[in-house]
Amino acid sequence: MGNQSSAGHLLWLVRTGRARTRAELQTYTGLSRSTVTQRIDVLRAAGYLRTSGVEGSTGGRPAELLELDTDHGVVMVADLGANHARAAVVDLRGQLLAEEHSLIKIGVGPEAVLGWVDAAFARLLPKAGWEPTQVRGIGLGVPGPVEFEAGMVTQPPIMPGWDGYPIAERLRNTWNRPVYVDNDANLMALGEQTLHYPDCPTLVLVKVATGIGAGVIVDGQVYRGIDGGAGDIGHIRLHDYPQARCQCGLYGCLAAVASGLALAQRLTAAGTPTSSGAELIERIRSGHAEAVHLARTAGQLVGEVLATVVCLLNPGVLVIAGDLADLHFVTGVREKLYQSALPRSTRRLEVTTSQLGDRAVLTGAHAMVIEQVYAPETVDAALA
């Protein structure tokens, strides 16, 4: 956590709601009143902190309440999906100020897609009423495994042309701002946890769309594994499907059997031409019998894999998200999960669907940027 008595640490205590007044900061840190006042003055002068009214008085002088100064700047975020892209400017509170959406495919490659992102940001900033110099950071979600420190994807199955491409560096060169990139399911998990389950330290989100991936939050932090591969449940192998070829080149992966793409192909093979995941979802929603059956069966297969995940991680919340997370699919997940998992591991488990919908990645990207840019050591370095 860095220096426990630094100005950056005091800002962190205020920002996370642990301390709201000077007295509370003194109690929390053990620092003298004069030291706390001096650190607060430094943070206020730099635009990080402001006072927001006073605490209800119990006699004596009412205490000034402290909060992060949301006029300090804005964050730019983008969500790149297999077949779409979204970009937005968001204030420090998490309010969306301006947003754009495009049906651009990730497979056209990094130059075209990031060119769109740059152009969208350039259009959105003035619309939101902010300057490029007031952008505190940029956050990006992508549908593949990300090496977080390097800001690039490694061997992504559905992102041809992106392997090893320096995404963060490319955007840093354009905007001269800190850039953070993460896997979309990680960001969806972080978004749901930050906004809806802040008191649940362990949460798993499964995204079922064109592919299948999971975001894992442990102790309130995204768990990424050794090089960003954590949560890649779409490539867990099922022994009953040796014929199902996955986009990764192997056979029998969960994604090759239960993803939107796989179900669209199976529906087509069964005599109902279905060219995309979106078309499949339309058929499920309109009650097409075979499509509904496929969705429920796919949910059961995902539920079987999740039984292992739940026994391993013992999360408090399991969120099913993505285009396929509808009634029939989720029913299938629940059936198999409760049947296969140890009763003890599901005793306190809440199985739910995403509350953020198509804003989940943007919300998580915002939380990621705030977490990095306003981390105690980052703030201390900026003040120095």
Side-chain angles (χ1 to χ4, degrees), residues 13 48 57 64 79 85 125 136-137 193 199 201 238 309 344 373:
L13 290 171
Y48 284 107
S57 178
E64 276 188 324
D79 161 19
L125 257 185
R136 295 293 154 220
Q193 198 252 359
D199 301 326
L238 308 174
V309 172
R344 196 206 164 284
V373 171

Side-chain angles (χ1 to χ4, degrees), residues 43-368:
L43 288 165
R44 284 178 70 164
Y48 284 107
L49 259 192
R50 68 176 170 208
T51 48
S52 63
V54 291
E55 205 174 31
S57 178
T58 50
R61 193 166 152 213
E64 276 188 324
L65 290 174
L66 301 164
E67 66 177 16
L68 175 69
D69 189 342
T70 49
D71 293 335
H72 189 238
V74 286
V75 169
M76 300 197 301
V77 289
D79 161 19
L80 307 181
N83 302 302
H84 75 88
R86 275 176 209 282
V89 176
V90 188
D91 72 14
L92 298 187
R93 275 185 296 263
Q95 293 296 312
L96 242 88
L97 304 177
E99 182 184 12
E100 254 187 55
H101 181 243
S102 168
L103 294 172
I104 188 168
K105 291 191 186 302
I106 200 91
V108 300
E111 291 300 331
V113 175
L114 296 177
W116 179 85
V117 171
D118 276 337
F121 283 162
R123 286 189 292 270
L124 291 169
L125 257 185
K127 205 180 277 184
W130 292 79
E131 301 284 326
T133 52
Q134 296 171 303
V135 173
R136 295 293 154 220
I138 295 171
L140 212 69
V142 295
V146 173
E147 274 195 50
F148 188 73
E149 299 302 325
M152 59 173 71
V153 290
T154 46
Q155 300 175 348
I158 63 167
M159 295 174 68
W162 289 78
D163 188 13
Y165 183 90
I167 302 170
E169 192 186 315
R170 151 75 200 260
L171 288 167
R172 255 199 319 272
N173 289 344
T174 311
W175 295 96
N176 193 23
R177 283 289 172 270
V179 180
Y180 306 97
V181 184
D182 205 350
N183 168 265
D184 54 2
N186 285 354
L187 293 181
M188 291 167 87
L190 183 62
E192 293 283 346
Q193 198 252 359
T194 304
L195 230 60
H196 297 298
Y197 307 100
D199 301 326
C200 176
T202 306
L203 173 146
V204 174
L205 177 139
V206 180
K207 180 194 178 200
V208 189
T210 305
I212 298 177
V216 179
I217 306 282
V218 175
D219 288 340
Q221 305 283 320
V222 173
Y223 178 74
R224 298 188 177 90
I226 200 75
D227 62 2
D232 206 356
I233 65 164
H235 299 285
I236 289 176
R237 315 283 281 285
L238 308 174
H239 53 75
D240 295 340
Y241 296 89
Q243 305 308 313
R245 185 159 201 261
C246 184
Q247 284 180 290
C248 73
L250 297 173
Y251 290 85
C253 293
L254 181 63
V257 184
S259 67
L261 196 64
L263 298 192
Q265 287 166 351
R266 280 170 51 202
L267 201 54
T268 302
T272 306
T274 308
S275 64
S276 65
E279 210 173 320
L280 166 81
I281 286 142
E282 267 171 46
R283 298 208 195 291
I284 296 169
R285 286 185 186 148
S286 66
H288 184 288
E290 182 62 18
V292 166
H293 171 70
L294 282 173
R296 187 152 176 175
T297 311
Q300 289 170 339
L301 290 168
V302 171
E304 203 165 329
V305 169
L306 286 176
T308 306
V309 172
V310 163
C311 286
L312 182 68
L313 293 174
N314 187 214
V317 178
L318 171 63
V319 183
I320 315 290
D323 300 340
L324 257 184
D326 85 315
L327 177 69
H328 305 289
F329 183 88
V330 175
T331 301
V333 171
R334 283 203 170 100
E335 280 172 353
K336 205 66 182 175
L337 175 63
Y338 288 113
Q339 186 190 323
S340 306
L342 206 61
R344 196 206 164 284
S345 62
T346 55
R347 191 178 53 186
R348 293 171 59 196
L349 175 69
E350 182 183 341
V351 181
T352 182
T353 51
S354 167
Q355 295 188 56
L356 292 170
D358 56 16
R359 291 272 169 82
V361 176
L362 296 179
T363 306
H366 175 265
M368 164 178 70

